[in-house]
Amino acid sequence: MHVGGWNLFFLIAFIVYVSIRGIFDRQTKNVEKVITRVDTLERVLLTTVGVASILLPLLYLFTPWLAFADYRRREFVPWCGAPILVGALGLFWRSHADLGQNWSISLELRKGHQLVTHGVYGPVRHPMYAAILLWDVGQGLLIENWLAGWSALVTFVVMCVLRIPREEQMMCASFGDAYHVYMRKTGRLFPRLR
Ligand code: SAH
């Protein structure tokens, strides 16, 4: 067991992260899905990201199985990781709250789906993915294990590269001009400078 010190901090933040997902999952689960673009690629991506961001950190914390990939980091590194993790949790919660009943884990649209352009969706189109990327950086800086620390970031970057264009295409097909206008005003993961 690796639970103590910074690992304990990570575990507590991890429980908050999973709980945020759980709360909003429960809020949306009865809202019917009317469009779904969940194909084999999407399923493979979701499974890979799930293994890297949930299973591997738990195996690292509670079993010795990943010890072959342990390493020693400099002392200041987790001090950088901790505020990143906390910031990621704030943005993760805020983006879930702003998206409300329109959230789903995959490429889907729900009955009465509305285009959200307020709150954290004002300056960026994918604040939730930005939050998850930040979280993954924090995870890498806090966990002293190459596999459990960094594979979440690697797999989620791949997911973003493959999924974001598909998601935007789905949103354009459903919301037409409104989404095109929104795209012109916003950045994907970072606010536009101009
Ligand atoms: N990509 C967004 C949302 C992630 S959840 C983000 O990173 O914040 C994925 C689902 O959210 C998509 O399947 C789509 O149905 C929905 N979605 C994405 N952007 C949206 C928006 N601006 N308004 C409403 N729903 C949106």
Side-chain angles (χ1 to χ4, degrees), residues 15-64:
I15 291 169
V16 176
Y17 183 74
V18 174
S19 305
I20 294 173
R21 256 286 133 95
I23 290 166
F24 285 95
D25 192 35
R26 224 169 308 131
Q27 279 186 13
T28 54
K29 79 167 186 273
N30 293 327
V31 190
E32 191 190 334
K33 293 167 183 168
V34 287
I35 293 178
T36 167
R37 301 219 174 155
V38 186
D39 55 11
T40 308
L41 173 65
E42 179 67 9
R43 277 194 207 97
V44 170
L45 288 172
L46 277 172
T47 309
T48 316
V49 166
V51 167
S53 50
I54 295 177
L55 187 62
L56 291 182
L58 290 177
L59 287 180
Y60 165 76
L61 290 172
F62 295 108
T63 77

Short mmCIF file of all heavy atoms in Angstrom, two decimals, residues 15-64:
data_model
loop_
_atom_site.label_atom_id
_atom_site.label_comp_id
_atom_site.label_asym_id
_atom_site.label_seq_id
_atom_site.Cartn_x
_atom_site.Cartn_y
_atom_site.Cartn_z
N ILE A 15 -11.20 10.88 -4.94
CA ILE A 15 -12.56 10.57 -4.48
C ILE A 15 -13.49 11.74 -4.83
O ILE A 15 -14.62 11.54 -5.29
CB ILE A 15 -12.57 10.26 -2.96
CG1 ILE A 15 -11.85 8.93 -2.72
CG2 ILE A 15 -14.00 10.20 -2.41
CD1 ILE A 15 -11.54 8.63 -1.27
N VAL A 16 -13.00 12.99 -4.67
CA VAL A 16 -13.82 14.16 -5.02
C VAL A 16 -14.10 14.14 -6.53
O VAL A 16 -15.25 14.34 -6.98
CB VAL A 16 -13.09 15.48 -4.63
CG1 VAL A 16 -13.89 16.69 -5.09
CG2 VAL A 16 -12.87 15.53 -3.12
N TYR A 17 -13.08 13.85 -7.32
CA TYR A 17 -13.19 13.82 -8.79
C TYR A 17 -14.25 12.80 -9.24
O TYR A 17 -15.17 13.11 -10.00
CB TYR A 17 -11.81 13.45 -9.32
CG TYR A 17 -11.61 13.40 -10.81
CD1 TYR A 17 -11.53 14.55 -11.57
CD2 TYR A 17 -11.44 12.18 -11.47
CE1 TYR A 17 -11.30 14.51 -12.94
CE2 TYR A 17 -11.20 12.12 -12.83
CZ TYR A 17 -11.14 13.28 -13.56
OH TYR A 17 -10.91 13.23 -14.91
N VAL A 18 -14.15 11.60 -8.70
CA VAL A 18 -15.10 10.53 -9.06
C VAL A 18 -16.50 10.88 -8.55
O VAL A 18 -17.50 10.61 -9.22
CB VAL A 18 -14.60 9.17 -8.51
CG1 VAL A 18 -15.62 8.08 -8.74
CG2 VAL A 18 -13.27 8.79 -9.15
N SER A 19 -16.57 11.53 -7.38
CA SER A 19 -17.89 11.89 -6.83
C SER A 19 -18.58 12.93 -7.70
O SER A 19 -19.80 12.87 -7.91
CB SER A 19 -17.77 12.44 -5.41
OG SER A 19 -17.09 11.52 -4.61
N ILE A 20 -17.82 13.91 -8.21
CA ILE A 20 -18.42 14.94 -9.08
C ILE A 20 -19.08 14.23 -10.27
O ILE A 20 -20.23 14.48 -10.62
CB ILE A 20 -17.36 15.96 -9.56
CG1 ILE A 20 -16.84 16.78 -8.38
CG2 ILE A 20 -17.94 16.90 -10.63
CD1 ILE A 20 -15.66 17.69 -8.70
N ARG A 21 -18.31 13.30 -10.88
CA ARG A 21 -18.86 12.54 -12.01
C ARG A 21 -20.14 11.80 -11.61
O ARG A 21 -21.15 11.83 -12.31
CB ARG A 21 -17.84 11.49 -12.47
CG ARG A 21 -17.07 11.78 -13.73
CD ARG A 21 -17.88 11.62 -14.96
NE ARG A 21 -17.70 12.75 -15.85
CZ ARG A 21 -16.85 12.78 -16.87
NH1 ARG A 21 -16.12 11.73 -17.13
NH2 ARG A 21 -16.76 13.84 -17.63
N GLY A 22 -20.07 11.16 -10.44
CA GLY A 22 -21.19 10.35 -9.97
C GLY A 22 -22.44 11.20 -9.78
O GLY A 22 -23.54 10.81 -10.19
N ILE A 23 -22.28 12.39 -9.18
CA ILE A 23 -23.43 13.26 -8.91
C ILE A 23 -24.11 13.65 -10.22
O ILE A 23 -25.32 13.55 -10.39
CB ILE A 23 -22.97 14.53 -8.15
CG1 ILE A 23 -22.57 14.17 -6.73
CG2 ILE A 23 -24.06 15.61 -8.15
CD1 ILE A 23 -21.80 15.26 -6.00
N PHE A 24 -23.31 14.09 -11.21
CA PHE A 24 -23.90 14.57 -12.47
C PHE A 24 -24.39 13.41 -13.33
O PHE A 24 -25.34 13.56 -14.10
CB PHE A 24 -22.92 15.48 -13.21
CG PHE A 24 -22.83 16.83 -12.54
CD1 PHE A 24 -21.83 17.09 -11.61
CD2 PHE A 24 -23.76 17.81 -12.80
CE1 PHE A 24 -21.76 18.31 -10.96
CE2 PHE A 24 -23.71 19.04 -12.16
CZ PHE A 24 -22.70 19.29 -11.23
N ASP A 25 -23.76 12.26 -13.18
CA ASP A 25 -24.23 11.07 -13.90
C ASP A 25 -25.64 10.73 -13.43
O ASP A 25 -26.53 10.45 -14.23
CB ASP A 25 -23.26 9.91 -13.62
CG ASP A 25 -23.51 8.75 -14.55
OD1 ASP A 25 -23.88 9.01 -15.71
OD2 ASP A 25 -23.35 7.59 -14.12
N ARG A 26 -25.85 10.80 -12.10
CA ARG A 26 -27.16 10.49 -11.54
C ARG A 26 -28.21 11.52 -12.01
O ARG A 26 -29.34 11.18 -12.33
CB ARG A 26 -27.09 10.48 -10.02
CG ARG A 26 -27.85 9.30 -9.44
CD ARG A 26 -27.58 9.09 -7.96
NE ARG A 26 -26.16 9.02 -7.65
CZ ARG A 26 -25.57 9.73 -6.66
NH1 ARG A 26 -26.26 10.57 -5.93
NH2 ARG A 26 -24.28 9.59 -6.42
N GLN A 27 -27.78 12.80 -12.10
CA GLN A 27 -28.73 13.85 -12.50
C GLN A 27 -29.19 13.70 -13.94
O GLN A 27 -30.25 14.17 -14.31
CB GLN A 27 -28.08 15.22 -12.35
CG GLN A 27 -28.11 15.72 -10.92
CD GLN A 27 -27.59 17.14 -10.81
OE1 GLN A 27 -27.43 17.85 -11.80
NE2 GLN A 27 -27.31 17.55 -9.60
N THR A 28 -28.35 13.11 -14.79
CA THR A 28 -28.68 13.07 -16.22
C THR A 28 -29.19 11.71 -16.68
O THR A 28 -29.66 11.59 -17.80
CB THR A 28 -27.44 13.43 -17.07
OG1 THR A 28 -26.38 12.57 -16.67
CG2 THR A 28 -27.02 14.86 -16.90
N LYS A 29 -29.09 10.71 -15.80
CA LYS A 29 -29.30 9.35 -16.31
C LYS A 29 -30.74 9.07 -16.80
O LYS A 29 -30.94 8.19 -17.63
CB LYS A 29 -28.81 8.29 -15.33
CG LYS A 29 -29.68 7.96 -14.17
CD LYS A 29 -29.14 6.67 -13.54
CE LYS A 29 -30.02 6.18 -12.45
NZ LYS A 29 -29.78 6.70 -11.13
N ASN A 30 -31.70 9.88 -16.35
CA ASN A 30 -33.08 9.65 -16.82
C ASN A 30 -33.45 10.47 -18.04
O ASN A 30 -34.57 10.38 -18.53
CB ASN A 30 -34.08 9.93 -15.69
CG ASN A 30 -33.92 8.90 -14.59
OD1 ASN A 30 -33.60 7.74 -14.86
ND2 ASN A 30 -34.11 9.32 -13.35
N VAL A 31 -32.51 11.32 -18.51
CA VAL A 31 -32.82 12.14 -19.70
C VAL A 31 -32.46 11.31 -20.94
O VAL A 31 -31.31 10.91 -21.13
CB VAL A 31 -32.01 13.47 -19.69
CG1 VAL A 31 -32.53 14.38 -20.80
CG2 VAL A 31 -32.11 14.16 -18.34
N GLU A 32 -33.48 11.08 -21.74
CA GLU A 32 -33.34 10.19 -22.90
C GLU A 32 -32.27 10.69 -23.89
O GLU A 32 -32.14 11.90 -24.11
CB GLU A 32 -34.70 10.16 -23.61
CG GLU A 32 -34.83 9.11 -24.68
CD GLU A 32 -36.12 9.31 -25.48
OE1 GLU A 32 -37.09 9.89 -24.94
OE2 GLU A 32 -36.13 8.89 -26.64
N LYS A 33 -31.52 9.75 -24.48
CA LYS A 33 -30.53 10.12 -25.50
C LYS A 33 -31.19 9.95 -26.87
O LYS A 33 -31.76 8.90 -27.15
CB LYS A 33 -29.31 9.22 -25.40
CG LYS A 33 -28.54 9.46 -24.12
CD LYS A 33 -27.53 8.37 -23.86
CE LYS A 33 -26.84 8.64 -22.52
NZ LYS A 33 -26.07 7.48 -22.06
N VAL A 34 -31.13 11.01 -27.69
CA VAL A 34 -31.81 10.93 -28.98
C VAL A 34 -30.83 10.75 -30.14
O VAL A 34 -31.20 10.28 -31.21
CB VAL A 34 -32.73 12.15 -29.23
CG1 VAL A 34 -33.96 12.08 -28.37
CG2 VAL A 34 -32.00 13.46 -28.99
N ILE A 35 -29.60 11.17 -29.94
CA ILE A 35 -28.57 10.94 -30.97
C ILE A 35 -27.37 10.32 -30.28
O ILE A 35 -26.94 10.80 -29.24
CB ILE A 35 -28.15 12.26 -31.66
CG1 ILE A 35 -29.31 12.83 -32.47
CG2 ILE A 35 -26.91 12.06 -32.54
CD1 ILE A 35 -29.02 14.14 -33.15
N THR A 36 -26.85 9.24 -30.87
CA THR A 36 -25.64 8.66 -30.28
C THR A 36 -24.67 8.27 -31.39
O THR A 36 -25.06 7.70 -32.40
CB THR A 36 -25.97 7.49 -29.31
OG1 THR A 36 -24.77 6.81 -29.03
CG2 THR A 36 -27.01 6.55 -29.85
N ARG A 37 -23.42 8.67 -31.19
CA ARG A 37 -22.38 8.33 -32.17
C ARG A 37 -21.31 7.47 -31.51
O ARG A 37 -20.12 7.72 -31.64
CB ARG A 37 -21.75 9.60 -32.72
CG ARG A 37 -22.76 10.50 -33.38
CD ARG A 37 -22.20 11.15 -34.60
NE ARG A 37 -23.22 11.90 -35.28
CZ ARG A 37 -22.99 12.92 -36.08
NH1 ARG A 37 -21.76 13.31 -36.29
NH2 ARG A 37 -23.97 13.54 -36.68
N VAL A 38 -21.76 6.51 -30.72
CA VAL A 38 -20.82 5.66 -30.00
C VAL A 38 -20.48 4.45 -30.87
O VAL A 38 -21.27 3.52 -30.99
CB VAL A 38 -21.43 5.22 -28.65
CG1 VAL A 38 -20.39 4.44 -27.84
CG2 VAL A 38 -21.90 6.43 -27.87
N ASP A 39 -19.30 4.50 -31.50
CA ASP A 39 -18.87 3.40 -32.35
C ASP A 39 -17.71 2.66 -31.68
O ASP A 39 -17.37 2.93 -30.53
CB ASP A 39 -18.50 3.92 -33.75
CG ASP A 39 -17.45 5.02 -33.65
OD1 ASP A 39 -16.89 5.22 -32.55
OD2 ASP A 39 -17.18 5.68 -34.67
N THR A 40 -17.08 1.76 -32.41
CA THR A 40 -16.01 0.95 -31.81
C THR A 40 -14.85 1.83 -31.35
O THR A 40 -14.31 1.64 -30.26
CB THR A 40 -15.49 -0.09 -32.84
OG1 THR A 40 -16.63 -0.79 -33.32
CG2 THR A 40 -14.52 -1.06 -32.23
N LEU A 41 -14.48 2.83 -32.18
CA LEU A 41 -13.38 3.72 -31.80
C LEU A 41 -13.69 4.42 -30.47
O LEU A 41 -12.85 4.46 -29.57
CB LEU A 41 -13.15 4.76 -32.91
CG LEU A 41 -12.14 5.86 -32.57
CD1 LEU A 41 -10.74 5.28 -32.39
CD2 LEU A 41 -12.12 6.95 -33.65
N GLU A 42 -14.90 4.92 -30.34
CA GLU A 42 -15.31 5.63 -29.13
C GLU A 42 -15.25 4.69 -27.91
O GLU A 42 -14.79 5.08 -26.84
CB GLU A 42 -16.73 6.18 -29.37
CG GLU A 42 -17.36 6.93 -28.24
CD GLU A 42 -16.68 8.26 -27.90
OE1 GLU A 42 -15.81 8.73 -28.63
OE2 GLU A 42 -17.04 8.80 -26.83
N ARG A 43 -15.69 3.45 -28.11
CA ARG A 43 -15.67 2.48 -26.99
C ARG A 43 -14.24 2.16 -26.57
O ARG A 43 -13.93 2.09 -25.40
CB ARG A 43 -16.39 1.19 -27.40
CG ARG A 43 -17.88 1.32 -27.22
CD ARG A 43 -18.60 -0.02 -27.28
NE ARG A 43 -19.95 0.26 -27.74
CZ ARG A 43 -20.36 0.16 -29.00
NH1 ARG A 43 -19.55 -0.29 -29.93
NH2 ARG A 43 -21.59 0.48 -29.34
N VAL A 44 -13.37 1.98 -27.57
CA VAL A 44 -11.96 1.67 -27.27
C VAL A 44 -11.33 2.84 -26.52
O VAL A 44 -10.62 2.66 -25.52
CB VAL A 44 -11.18 1.36 -28.58
CG1 VAL A 44 -9.68 1.29 -28.33
CG2 VAL A 44 -11.68 0.07 -29.20
N LEU A 45 -11.61 4.06 -26.99
CA LEU A 45 -11.04 5.25 -26.34
C LEU A 45 -11.52 5.36 -24.89
O LEU A 45 -10.73 5.59 -23.97
CB LEU A 45 -11.45 6.52 -27.10
CG LEU A 45 -10.78 6.76 -28.45
CD1 LEU A 45 -11.42 7.95 -29.16
CD2 LEU A 45 -9.28 6.99 -28.30
N LEU A 46 -12.82 5.18 -24.68
CA LEU A 46 -13.38 5.30 -23.32
C LEU A 46 -12.77 4.25 -22.39
O LEU A 46 -12.44 4.55 -21.24
CB LEU A 46 -14.90 5.14 -23.36
CG LEU A 46 -15.71 6.38 -23.71
CD1 LEU A 46 -17.18 6.03 -23.90
CD2 LEU A 46 -15.57 7.45 -22.63
N THR A 47 -12.62 3.01 -22.90
CA THR A 47 -12.07 1.94 -22.06
C THR A 47 -10.61 2.24 -21.72
O THR A 47 -10.19 2.12 -20.56
CB THR A 47 -12.16 0.59 -22.80
OG1 THR A 47 -13.49 0.43 -23.26
CG2 THR A 47 -11.78 -0.57 -21.91
N THR A 48 -9.84 2.66 -22.72
CA THR A 48 -8.42 2.92 -22.49
C THR A 48 -8.24 4.06 -21.49
O THR A 48 -7.42 3.96 -20.56
CB THR A 48 -7.73 3.31 -23.83
OG1 THR A 48 -8.19 2.43 -24.83
CG2 THR A 48 -6.23 3.22 -23.73
N VAL A 49 -9.01 5.13 -21.67
CA VAL A 49 -8.90 6.27 -20.75
C VAL A 49 -9.34 5.84 -19.34
O VAL A 49 -8.72 6.21 -18.34
CB VAL A 49 -9.75 7.46 -21.26
CG1 VAL A 49 -9.94 8.52 -20.20
CG2 VAL A 49 -9.08 8.08 -22.49
N GLY A 50 -10.38 5.03 -19.25
CA GLY A 50 -10.86 4.54 -17.95
C GLY A 50 -9.79 3.73 -17.22
O GLY A 50 -9.54 3.93 -16.03
N VAL A 51 -9.13 2.84 -17.95
CA VAL A 51 -8.07 2.02 -17.34
C VAL A 51 -6.94 2.92 -16.85
O VAL A 51 -6.46 2.81 -15.71
CB VAL A 51 -7.53 0.98 -18.36
CG1 VAL A 51 -6.25 0.34 -17.87
CG2 VAL A 51 -8.60 -0.08 -18.63
N ALA A 52 -6.52 3.87 -17.70
CA ALA A 52 -5.37 4.71 -17.36
C ALA A 52 -5.67 5.69 -16.24
O ALA A 52 -4.79 6.01 -15.43
CB ALA A 52 -4.91 5.47 -18.61
N SER A 53 -6.92 6.18 -16.19
CA SER A 53 -7.17 7.24 -15.20
C SER A 53 -7.85 6.73 -13.93
O SER A 53 -7.84 7.45 -12.93
CB SER A 53 -7.97 8.38 -15.82
OG SER A 53 -9.08 7.87 -16.48
N ILE A 54 -8.38 5.52 -13.94
CA ILE A 54 -9.03 5.02 -12.71
C ILE A 54 -8.34 3.75 -12.20
O ILE A 54 -7.89 3.67 -11.06
CB ILE A 54 -10.53 4.78 -12.96
CG1 ILE A 54 -11.19 6.14 -13.25
CG2 ILE A 54 -11.19 4.12 -11.75
CD1 ILE A 54 -12.63 6.10 -13.58
N LEU A 55 -8.22 2.74 -13.09
CA LEU A 55 -7.69 1.45 -12.63
C LEU A 55 -6.21 1.55 -12.22
O LEU A 55 -5.82 1.10 -11.13
CB LEU A 55 -7.88 0.40 -13.74
CG LEU A 55 -7.52 -1.02 -13.34
CD1 LEU A 55 -8.41 -1.52 -12.20
CD2 LEU A 55 -7.63 -1.96 -14.54
N LEU A 56 -5.38 2.14 -13.08
CA LEU A 56 -3.94 2.17 -12.78
C LEU A 56 -3.60 2.94 -11.49
O LEU A 56 -2.83 2.44 -10.67
CB LEU A 56 -3.14 2.72 -13.97
CG LEU A 56 -3.10 1.82 -15.21
CD1 LEU A 56 -2.25 2.44 -16.32
CD2 LEU A 56 -2.59 0.44 -14.88
N PRO A 57 -4.20 4.15 -11.25
CA PRO A 57 -3.91 4.81 -9.98
C PRO A 57 -4.33 3.97 -8.77
O PRO A 57 -3.62 3.93 -7.76
CB PRO A 57 -4.73 6.11 -10.04
CG PRO A 57 -4.99 6.34 -11.46
CD PRO A 57 -5.00 5.00 -12.13
N LEU A 58 -5.47 3.27 -8.88
CA LEU A 58 -5.92 2.44 -7.75
C LEU A 58 -4.96 1.26 -7.53
O LEU A 58 -4.62 0.92 -6.40
CB LEU A 58 -7.36 1.95 -7.97
CG LEU A 58 -8.43 3.05 -7.89
CD1 LEU A 58 -9.81 2.49 -8.19
CD2 LEU A 58 -8.43 3.72 -6.51
N LEU A 59 -4.52 0.64 -8.64
CA LEU A 59 -3.56 -0.47 -8.51
C LEU A 59 -2.27 0.03 -7.87
O LEU A 59 -1.67 -0.63 -7.01
CB LEU A 59 -3.24 -1.08 -9.89
CG LEU A 59 -4.36 -1.92 -10.52
CD1 LEU A 59 -3.90 -2.46 -11.88
CD2 LEU A 59 -4.75 -3.08 -9.60
N TYR A 60 -1.83 1.23 -8.28
CA TYR A 60 -0.60 1.80 -7.71
C TYR A 60 -0.76 2.04 -6.20
O TYR A 60 0.13 1.73 -5.41
CB TYR A 60 -0.27 3.11 -8.43
CG TYR A 60 0.75 3.95 -7.70
CD1 TYR A 60 2.11 3.60 -7.73
CD2 TYR A 60 0.37 5.05 -6.94
CE1 TYR A 60 3.05 4.35 -7.03
CE2 TYR A 60 1.30 5.80 -6.26
CZ TYR A 60 2.63 5.46 -6.30
OH TYR A 60 3.55 6.19 -5.60
N LEU A 61 -1.92 2.60 -5.81
CA LEU A 61 -2.13 2.95 -4.40
C LEU A 61 -2.31 1.72 -3.51
O LEU A 61 -1.85 1.70 -2.38
CB LEU A 61 -3.35 3.87 -4.25
CG LEU A 61 -3.22 5.30 -4.80
CD1 LEU A 61 -4.56 6.02 -4.77
CD2 LEU A 61 -2.18 6.09 -4.02
N PHE A 62 -2.99 0.70 -4.04
CA PHE A 62 -3.41 -0.40 -3.14
C PHE A 62 -2.74 -1.74 -3.40
O PHE A 62 -3.05 -2.70 -2.69
CB PHE A 62 -4.93 -0.55 -3.21
CG PHE A 62 -5.65 0.67 -2.68
CD1 PHE A 62 -6.32 1.53 -3.54
CD2 PHE A 62 -5.62 0.98 -1.32
CE1 PHE A 62 -6.97 2.67 -3.04
CE2 PHE A 62 -6.26 2.11 -0.83
CZ PHE A 62 -6.93 2.96 -1.69
N THR A 63 -1.90 -1.86 -4.43
CA THR A 63 -1.20 -3.14 -4.67
C THR A 63 0.27 -2.86 -5.00
O THR A 63 0.62 -1.73 -5.35
CB THR A 63 -1.81 -3.91 -5.88
OG1 THR A 63 -1.34 -3.28 -7.09
CG2 THR A 63 -3.32 -3.94 -5.88
N PRO A 64 1.12 -3.88 -4.93
CA PRO A 64 2.53 -3.67 -5.31
C PRO A 64 2.78 -3.97 -6.80
O PRO A 64 3.91 -3.94 -7.25
CB PRO A 64 3.25 -4.71 -4.43
CG PRO A 64 2.25 -5.79 -4.20
CD PRO A 64 0.88 -5.21 -4.35
#
